Amino acid sequence: MSAQPAKTLRETAAEYGLKSEEYDVILQRLNREPNPVELGVFSVMWSEHCSYKSSKKHLGKFPTTGPRVICGPGENAGVIDIGDGQACIFKMESHNHPSYIEPYQGAATGVGGIMRDVFTMGARPIALLNALRFGDPSHPKTKRLVSGVVSGIGGYGNCVGVPTVAGETNFHRGYDGNILVNAMCVGLADADKIFYSAAPAAGLPVVYFGSKTGRDGIHGATMASAEFDDASDEKRPTVQVGDPFAEKLLIEATLELMASGAVAAIQDMGAAGLTSSSVEMAGKGGVGIELNLDMVPQREDGMSAYEMMLSESQERMLAILKPGREADGQRIFEKWGLDAATIGITTDTGHMVLKHQGEIVCDVPLAPLFDDAPLYDRPWVATPAQPRLSPADVPTPADYADAVLKLMSAPDMASKRWLWEQYDRHVMADTLEDSATGADAGIVRVHGSRKALAVTSDCTPRYVLNDAYEGGKQVVAEAWRNLTAVGADPIAITDNLNFGNPERPEIMGQIVRAIEGMAEACRALDFPVVSGNVSLYNETNGQAIPPTPTVGAVGLIPDYARRADFAGMKAGDALVLVGDTTGELGASMYLREIVGREDGAPPPVDLAQERKVGDIIRNLILSGQVTVVHDLSDGGLIAAAAEMALASKLGLRLTAPEGVAVHAALFGEDQARYLIAVSDAAAVLDAAKAAGVTASVIGQAGGEDIAVEGLFTLPLAKLRDAHEGWMPAYMGG
């Protein structure tokens, strides 16, 4: 039998995700063929995950500055000023591909990775959020994926001791072959003690600390930049393995090292591991770097230079120390029981030089790796616009009570108690509102002050699918509304843009239009983007996920005594609907869950109106006049009312708004609306009238039923059973 011919480097490059024309560019940059180690380094740095080569052109459309922005995109995380010399540092990241292949470790290491992005800038993590999208509940893989992902998030976050306070979970057949696991971390730091990744000069020691390097996660960044097929389970070795106890030690050691004054620059080892961290630190600083890989702490024998550079083993950091401060670092690392070693030095060559076993195994200029990666202006076509549906186009329910029960027990709308009860929501003892309490955003107290941070994660993929531009606007507006509804001043967002294959013009069209819609909303609402992540190639066998540009947002509450939730409704309270109702049923939950259709234009987003109505709501909360507020979103008025009733353990009676077909008034998902419960409605009505905003009393709290006058009466206990029952029955069945 004849031996297989040896692969050419060009063929190997293709296996690593590099196109033939990209390989040609490498040849031009080096003026020679790369060796296998160099090829590996180029392949991860030029992957979509690390280089943003398909999206960078369009990401520049986002507003990224503002009066409170200390550091926008380009660093490990965004930094905003929250007053009193304090800063909030936050970011959202995806771990989609690893979580589909190995749900527990994929989700766990997603949590670990996003925390490192935050504490590598000097912040102590204080809150975690997640945005999860799973396939159809009936799909044979879905239940196992839900169980593994939730266990992974809880297992890691709970052990590290950071509360998981908010998030969202959706189910749809569009995610059958590619689930989404987006994790967000929020941290606190002194505004004058922020740490950055750029190496400041040549001649400084490069120190590795944390866990040893193993063979897990090799080519993880490349795997995250490719679509799946039927053999995707074979990619399990590309998934990293996390150790939350090591992460806890790493957090404490990193923060102590920073406090010692020894750090000149620092970077966590995330996607592409030691390659990415060293390239970015040297590239941002305009210096070179030389590493001796023999010095890298290794947990496996006989590791090659290629394996060490491309491993994505978790819980590792790379620091550049000030001259003569290695001993300070070593003392701290020994105290916390971490492996550490000086593995290199910054240089003035502008090159990355790697030595292993006495040989130079890599010598490449940094510029092509760091800021000269291929950038594409990919062709795109916009998705044809869906027609706007009038209420007459959508059937009314045969039985309104049954429709409400069915809506509130649908997988997307049903209680996720089974899920969030597995997360520690109160560790650190500063959580004021979380998934259990009935509020539109999680709220975490800024320790030792009266201030609090409100945090939320939002996306409505069905809107973005039907109209990427309006859907993009709505993603940002929804996040802004959720912060407003708890009384927070919205400050900034991070984003996690999850899409399919950008080489397909229709997918690229979704990306472009969603970004343009999001950017418009950010500008109109003074809500800049300070960090983010792009996750593309989320598809299997050519079937892309619904476009899912998730937004994580942070707002500031000046005094946490002046905040709102939707769980404090009292008997006799008037229910006031603020904002215009026209009855938008296109792409609505009612249309999908009750009628069985997913067509129609999503509700339009009037950003000026969003701002006008939101400002009124926030002022009413901050003045102490209102404490019970819920924004209207999925499921419309009846869903918001039902959620208020369930959270408050109190019934209510509504009168359907006039001038709109009843089913459209109850289930329509018109934007820029809030439902308020208040003992005296006059102040709310006066404030709305003064601002030229529609507001009316549409019901009253009390009793043990949820009812609409002349239409239906539904016992709250029956609604609760349906709402609370779906997920335990599903996961236990």
Side-chain angles (χ1 to χ4, degrees):
M1 203 172 165
S2 61
Q4 290 289 317
K7 286 182 185 149
T8 66
L9 276 170
R10 187 178 292 274
E11 289 169 333
T12 303
E15 288 181 1
Y16 292 173
L18 289 166
K19 301 200 179 305
S20 184
E21 56 270 28
E22 292 174 340
Y23 184 72
D24 288 337
V25 175
I26 295 172
L27 297 182
Q28 291 166 19
R29 298 286 193 273
L30 298 182
N31 206 24
R32 59 176 174 82
E33 281 210 318
N35 65 36
V37 175
E38 293 168 340
L39 184 61
V41 166
F42 270 100
S43 73
V44 291
M45 292 308 298
W46 285 13
S47 68
E48 190 73 54
H49 193 82
C50 291
S51 73
Y52 298 95
K53 57 191 177 187
S54 299
S55 57
K56 203 167 193 175
K57 176 181 186 292
H58 301 286
L59 295 174
K61 298 170 182 175
F62 284 134
T64 57
T65 58
R68 288 189 178 269
V69 177
I70 296 173
C71 176
E75 270 294 338
N76 289 289
V79 186
I80 56 174
D81 182 351
I82 59 168
D84 307 311
Q86 294 174 305
C88 171
I89 298 178
F90 64 103
K91 189 182 181 189
M92 180 178 268
E93 268 272 9
S94 60
H95 237 222
N96 305 334
H97 288 62
S99 298
Y100 183 73
I101 296 166
E102 180 47 66
Y104 184 94
Q105 290 296 351
T109 52
V111 175
I114 196 62
M115 280 198 286
R116 283 193 297 282
D117 277 337
V118 166
F119 72 75
T120 195
M121 295 194 70
R124 180 171 291 283
I126 62 162
L128 293 167
L129 299 85
N130 54 70
L132 312 177
R133 321 280 171 185
F134 297 105
D136 190 297
S138 65
H139 190 277
K141 283 189 176 180
T142 300
K143 192 183 295 186
R144 180 182 70 86
L145 290 167
V146 173
S147 179
V149 164
V150 172
S151 297
I153 292 170
Y156 203 100
N158 298 354
C159 289
V160 175
V162 180
T164 299
V165 300
E168 54 180 343
T169 304
N170 295 148
F171 296 83
H172 191 272
R173 63 182 180 278
Y175 304 101
D176 281 352
N178 198 125
I179 64 172
L180 302 184
V181 175
N182 298 169
M184 177 175 168
C185 180
V186 180
L188 283 177
D190 291 339
D192 61 351
K193 295 186 178 110
I194 308 298
F195 289 81
Y196 298 96
S197 56
L204 300 179
V206 179
V207 176
Y208 170 122
F209 65 100
S211 298
K212 289 183 170 71
T213 293
R215 289 189 170 98
D216 56 320
I218 292 172
H219 268 294
T222 309
M223 177 268 288
S225 307
E227 60 186 87
F228 283 153
D229 54 30
D230 292 331
S232 294
D233 282 350
E234 295 170 11
K235 296 181 179 181
R236 192 165 279 114
T238 61
V239 178
Q240 313 90 335
V241 178
D243 178 351
F245 301 104
E247 181 97 343
K248 178 63 178 169
L249 298 174
L250 192 64
I251 293 172
E252 300 305 332
T254 302
L255 295 178
E256 188 170 330
L257 183 68
M258 290 166 166
S260 76
V263 174
I266 190 164
Q267 174 84 1
D268 71 297
M269 293 191 220
L274 187 52
T275 295
S276 179
S277 53
S278 54
V279 168
E280 287 183 15
M281 292 177 89
K284 286 178 183 175
V287 300
I289 193 164
E290 185 175 299
L291 303 180
N292 179 359
L293 299 183
D294 298 338
M295 301 306 294
V296 172
Q298 299 160 54
R299 70 165 183 256
E300 299 182 47
D301 294 333
M303 289 191 73
S304 68
Y306 178 93
E307 289 171 327
M308 280 186 272
M309 291 305 293
L310 271 68
S311 164
E312 294 183 12
S313 296
Q314 298 290 285
E315 294 87 39
R316 302 180 299 158
M317 303 289 281
L318 200 64
I320 294 171
L321 300 186
K322 294 174 182 175
R325 301 298 299 269
E326 293 98 322
D328 294 320
Q330 202 56 47
R331 174 181 53 78
I332 292 166
F333 304 140
E334 285 175 7
K335 170 185 171 180
W336 292 101
L338 299 179
D339 287 291
T342 300
I343 66 168
I345 192 165
T346 57
T347 66
D348 60 4
T349 65
H351 277 231
M352 169 190 262
V353 177
L354 306 177
K355 295 180 176 177
H356 187 227
Q357 297 177 351
E359 292 183 13
I360 293 176
V361 295
C362 172
D363 184 350
V364 296
L366 278 160
L369 286 171
F370 175 65
D371 55 12
D372 194 24
L375 292 179
Y376 295 113
D377 184 2
R378 297 198 185 277
W380 62 274
V381 294
T383 305
Q386 293 259 357
R388 199 159 171 190
L389 302 182
S390 78
D393 299 327
V394 179
T396 59
D399 184 306
Y400 275 89
D402 284 352
V404 173
L405 278 175
K406 189 174 179 182
L407 178 74
M408 297 305 294
S409 61
D412 277 12
M413 299 294 294
S415 167
K416 305 302 184 301
R417 179 185 296 274
W418 179 93
L419 184 155
W420 47 250
E421 278 188 341
Q422 299 183 50
Y423 305 150
D424 191 331
R425 305 182 306 282
H426 299 285
V427 65
M428 303 181 87
D430 281 317
T431 304
L432 299 175
E433 302 280 358
D434 62 72
S435 308
T437 60
D440 283 310
I443 302 177
V444 180
R445 182 168 51 197
V446 176
H447 201 75
S449 79
R450 299 293 301 174
K451 296 185 298 192
L453 293 172
V455 293
T456 184
S457 157
D458 296 289
C459 184
T460 313
R462 63 185 189 275
Y463 290 177
V464 189
L465 181 64
N466 285 17
D467 185 333
Y469 183 73
E470 283 296 325
K473 284 162 63 179
Q474 194 273 343
V475 170
V476 174
E478 170 78 1
W480 192 86
R481 254 194 330 266
N482 280 337
L483 297 178
T484 292
V486 297
D489 181 24
I491 297 177
I493 69 170
T494 181
D495 60 50
N496 199 149
L497 308 178
N498 307 273
F499 292 89
N501 183 345
E503 297 167 51
R504 293 165 56 193
E506 67 274 19
I507 301 296
M508 197 66 217
Q510 293 175 347
I511 298 169
V512 172
R513 292 296 284 156
I515 287 174
E516 288 174 349
M518 292 170 74
E520 184 182 335
C522 288
R523 284 191 295 271
L525 300 172
D526 291 328
F527 209 22
V529 178
V530 295
S531 60
N533 171 58
V534 173
S535 174
L536 306 181
Y537 297 93
N538 289 291
E539 54 185 76
T540 298
N541 295 328
Q543 186 61 47
I545 60 160
T548 312
T550 307
V551 158
V554 174
L556 180 65
I557 298 175
D559 178 356
Y560 57 73
R562 297 286 175 93
R563 66 181 197 272
D565 57 29
F566 55 80
M569 191 169 64
K570 296 180 177 63
D573 279 355
L575 299 175
V576 183
L577 178 62
V578 184
D580 292 327
T581 298
T582 57
E584 296 288 342
L585 290 168
S588 66
M589 287 297 298
Y590 172 82
L591 192 69
R592 189 176 86 189
E593 299 297 334
I594 309 302
V595 183
R597 289 165 44 189
E598 296 186 37
D599 60 316
V605 180
D606 182 333
L607 293 165
Q609 182 76 352
E610 285 284 359
R611 183 149 198 161
K612 189 159 67 168
V613 178
D615 287 353
I616 292 168
I617 300 296
R618 203 177 313 103
N619 289 336
L620 286 166
I621 298 169
L622 293 178
S623 63
Q625 296 175 85
V626 169
T627 60
V628 182
V629 180
H630 196 7
D631 83 305
L632 271 60
S633 54
D634 286 350
L637 171 61
I638 198 68
E643 287 167 352
M644 288 173 73
L646 290 165
S648 304
K649 300 180 175 60
L650 183 68
L652 52 80
R653 183 166 294 272
L654 298 178
T655 304
E658 294 179 3
V660 181
V662 173
H663 68 309
L666 293 178
F667 297 104
E669 295 179 7
D670 310 272
Q671 301 294 291
R673 295 189 301 163
Y674 300 79
L675 188 58
I676 294 172
V678 64
S679 57
D680 182 2
V684 176
L685 297 175
D686 288 348
K689 187 177 180 181
V693 167
T694 303
S696 58
V697 176
I698 60 157
Q700 190 175 44
E704 296 179 357
D705 306 309
I706 179 169
V708 177
E709 210 72 58
L711 206 60
F712 72 90
T713 299
L714 179 62
L716 196 57
K718 188 175 180 180
L719 178 63
R720 187 178 305 282
D721 287 347
H723 181 63
E724 295 271 359
W726 179 80
M727 197 153 192
Y730 173 65
M731 295 307 298

